[in-house]
Structures are given as C-alpha cells and as structure tokens.
Amino acid sequence: LTSWYNISYAATIPEPTIKGHVRMNPFHTFSATCLNFGFALTDLLEKEGKPVPPMGLIQSAIGGTRIEQWIDNSTFVSCKNGTPAYNSNLYYGMVTPFVNTTVKGFLWYQGENNCGEVMGNSMTKVGYGCYQVAIVDFWRRMFSAVEGTTNSLAPFGIVTLASFGNEGNPQNMAHMRWSQTGNYGTLPNPVMPNTFLAHAYDMG
C-alpha cells in the first residue's frame, strides 16, 4: 500500500505513541537524501527564473540491503560473484509496483552492505562494479518499456558512500566508490550515460 502526501500535510500528522513507542509521521520517515534533492531542484529552478512545477518524489528504500536485492533474476545472473541468498527479493516487491509510473529520473544511495563483498569490475562482469552498471540499465528499461512514458535515458544519480558507511570494511571504501562509477572513476561514462554523482564522502 502506497500513501501520497504533500510535505506540509505530512509534517502535521500527529506521532502517536503505541505500546510506549513513538511512531514517526511520513515526513520524519521519508528519505532525507531524496527530499533534499527535491529542495535543491526547486531552488535551482527559482534561481534561474524558471517556473517550478509540482514535484513528486517516490521513496522505495530499506536500510541494510544489498544491490542484488533490487534487480530481477536475469540481471542478477548477468554479473559474477553476487550473493544468491539476497537476489531479487526487493525488486519484485518494492520496484515493480512503480514501473508503470512515468518518472523524470532516479536517485540511488546504497552500498554499505556490499562493502565486504567483491567490488569487481564492470568490464569483466564481476561484483559491484558490474551490478551498478546493470541496475542503471535495467531500471531504465523497465520504466521506459511503454513508449512515450519514462525516457530510456532518464537521468540517474548515484550518491557515493559517506566515510562511515563501510559496515566494518574501511579497506574497501575506495574500491566501492570506484565501483559506483562502473570502474571508470567518473560519471557519466561510456557504460553509464546521462548519470551523475553526488559525493557524500565528507559527511561523517
């Protein structure tokens, strides 16, 4: 079940106490990364003197997950060194309900729980480097399958991990950030066109 809120309304919903635990309202549980990105886009349009259209933000997120969980089975097996126990279980429940929605772009902020795994390389179809490229291509294909809906090259933003987000594997952090670019070191690149990075390495 998906609920739709505007920010002003969501912030006014009382936070009830149930069995001694406070249940936060939708505003407090929404992704700060996603929300602040929306604010930044609004500010930029205003600064450039352009009209600011109504902007809808969809959050589909669970903390502590692996990239393999957010793709389908066929995409999972296209890369080597994935973790079978985690493949695809969130894609079918938390992404497919939205694929008929026309969107203007995507934001991806994940990787902490893959830091202890194989970082790999997109060129050799191994590990996180392969999966990062694969998820960008796969999500774009799924959302643009119906002609005239989502652009097949819709902007895709990737947030690099903050310095504390290594889940006990700080030795892999540089490799993770490298793999988040498909092992090119920068975005966009030949295998990840119309993508961009939002760096969070100086946060914490």
Side-chain angles (χ1 to χ4, degrees), residues 118-136:
V118 176
M119 294 299 98
N121 190 297
S122 62
M123 296 294 288
T124 56
K125 302 291 184 183
V126 173
Y128 199 94
C130 177
Y131 283 121
Q132 185 69 88
V133 173
I135 200 170
V136 171

Side-chain angles (χ1 to χ4, degrees), residues 91 95-102 139 142-146 149-150:
Y91 169 72
V95 179
T96 54
F98 298 110
V99 296
N100 289 328
T101 304
T102 298
W139 279 19
M142 290 300 99
F143 278 81
S144 65
V146 177
T149 58
T150 300

Side-chain angles (χ1 to χ4, degrees), residues 71-78 87-89 91-92 138:
I71 51 179
D72 71 344
N73 292 321
S74 61
T75 307
F76 171 76
V77 298
S78 70
N87 69 300
S88 306
N89 62 334
Y91 169 72
Y92 292 106
F138 175 60

Side-chain angles (χ1 to χ4, degrees), residues 24 53 56 84 87 98 105 111 117 123 130 134 166-168 172-173 191 197:
M24 292 186 176
N87 69 300
F98 298 110
E117 307 298 326
M123 296 294 288
C130 177
N166 55 61
E167 293 295 317
N172 284 341
M173 183 57 81
V191 298
L197 285 175

Side-chain angles (χ1 to χ4, degrees), residues 55-187:
M55 194 174 300
L57 302 173
I58 299 174
Q59 170 187 275
S60 185
I62 294 181
T65 61
R66 299 174 186 239
I67 195 171
E68 299 99 313
Q69 295 176 263
W70 297 95
I71 51 179
D72 71 344
N73 292 321
S74 61
T75 307
F76 171 76
V77 298
S78 70
C79 299
K80 304 171 214 173
N81 291 99
T83 306
Y86 295 96
N87 69 300
S88 306
N89 62 334
L90 293 178
Y91 169 72
Y92 292 106
M94 296 190 66
V95 179
T96 54
F98 298 110
V99 296
N100 289 328
T101 304
T102 298
V103 299
K104 294 298 184 181
F106 307 88
L107 285 179
W108 176 256
Y109 188 6
Q110 184 278 339
E112 292 90 344
N113 279 68
N114 284 99
C115 263
E117 307 298 326
V118 176
M119 294 299 98
N121 190 297
S122 62
M123 296 294 288
T124 56
K125 302 291 184 183
V126 173
Y128 199 94
C130 177
Y131 283 121
Q132 185 69 88
V133 173
I135 200 170
V136 171
D137 177 68
F138 175 60
W139 279 19
R140 281 172 167 168
R141 282 189 287 111
M142 290 300 99
F143 278 81
S144 65
V146 177
E147 186 175 352
T149 58
T150 300
N151 190 316
S152 60
L153 280 177
F156 204 113
I158 296 170
V159 184
T160 62
L161 294 190
S163 59
F164 57 82
N166 55 61
E167 293 295 317
N169 298 280
Q171 74 281 1
N172 284 341
M173 183 57 81
H175 302 291
M176 166 55 76
R177 294 192 184 117
W178 183 254
S179 292
Q180 287 183 293
T181 67
N183 308 101
Y184 278 77
T186 187
L187 294 180

